[in-house]
Amino acid sequence: MRTGNEPVTARSPLRLRFWLSLWGLLWATAGAVLFSLVGRAGWAAACAALVLLTAADMAVVVRHIHQGPHYQPGPDVPPYEPPHAR
């Protein structure tokens, strides 16, 4: 059921974002190291920029997870306000 306020009450799957950020961080780090060893400075710089971006995203996600149920409500909290009786 749509209530019309979904952008206000939208929730992000923070744990999934954390694991995807970790996966991206590992791949970008490996890419930066490997490209720098092979002598591809441009690609190494691009991967290093991705490392910084991914680390910043991971820091935001971890901060929101640690802030508790305001950003990570449990399964008993509905994703929308219950409809009012008409």
Side-chain angles (χ1 to χ4, degrees):
M1 174 186 339
R2 295 194 174 265
T3 61
N5 65 351
E6 283 83 9
V8 175
T9 58
R11 294 184 287 175
S12 175
L14 293 176
R15 283 181 175 62
L16 176 64
R17 276 183 62 192
F18 172 78
W19 289 111
L20 288 174
S21 292
L22 182 64
W23 181 252
L25 185 68
L26 293 174
W27 275 103
T29 303
V33 169
L34 291 175
F35 280 126
S36 65
L37 289 176
V38 182
R40 301 281 188 160
W43 285 104
C47 287
L50 279 175
V51 167
L52 293 175
L53 184 67
T54 308
D57 180 53
M58 186 181 291
V60 169
V61 168
V62 168
R63 180 175 179 265
H64 283 182
I65 288 174
H66 284 206
Q67 284 181 340
H70 176 69
Y71 285 98
Q72 186 82 7
D76 57 330
V77 178
Y80 54 85
E81 293 179 16
H84 302 289
R86 295 182 183 203

